[in-house]
Amino acid sequence: MIFGEWSTPVAKTMGFIGIGLLVLGVFLTSYTQKGDKQGNNVKATYTVLVLTTIGYLIYNTIPKGMSSSGLAIFFPESVGMVIAVLIYLTFSHDLKALKEAKSWKQIISGLVFSLAAITYIFSVKENGVNTAFVVGQLSMVLSTLGSLIFLHEHKTTRELIFTIIGLALIVMGAIVTTIN
């Protein structure tokens, strides 16, 4: 809406319906049954989720709002991430993590993320924030299925049903939002 990507009332309506389906789908995929150890910190989890969502919204709209290439922010953003991690490790008194082999192995996932971030920046310029963001959320479907199939993540029958319904809603939301 901010960038005029949903110009007609029908496009706005379909966009909001699609985003609603996405949000509901994400909520359903994160469902855990009571008594589950992971479900005990729900309030703290949702607080962190809201705060990180605000940051993510800013991250998603910067490439579209810039008059120059979104790549112009890529290096400063990367440096900012490294500084943020160092600050976090300092305040959490966990600087020893820098010496651990598993920390250095995470560089591989960081490089994969950087490739995804560059791809996203190009997609925002070509397709707009709405389409790029929604299509990007389809990666959640792949990662969730991957965790269930390849990593054998355990879910109760009820959690699995909610997850499958949630994934279907995410796909439907992406379709509804991008057909505008």
Side-chain angles (χ1 to χ4, degrees), residues 25 28-31 33 148 155-169:
L28 289 175
T29 60
S30 65
Y31 170 78
Q33 287 187 290
L148 292 170
K155 289 195 175 283
T156 65
T157 303
R158 184 179 182 130
E159 290 171 345
L160 187 59
I161 290 169
F162 274 67
T163 298
I164 291 169
I165 292 170
L167 294 177
L169 288 174

Side-chain angles (χ1 to χ4, degrees), residues 141-154:
V141 174
L142 295 175
S143 63
T144 302
L145 290 174
S147 70
L148 292 170
I149 295 167
F150 299 112
L151 300 178
H152 307 290
E153 181 180 306
H154 173 71

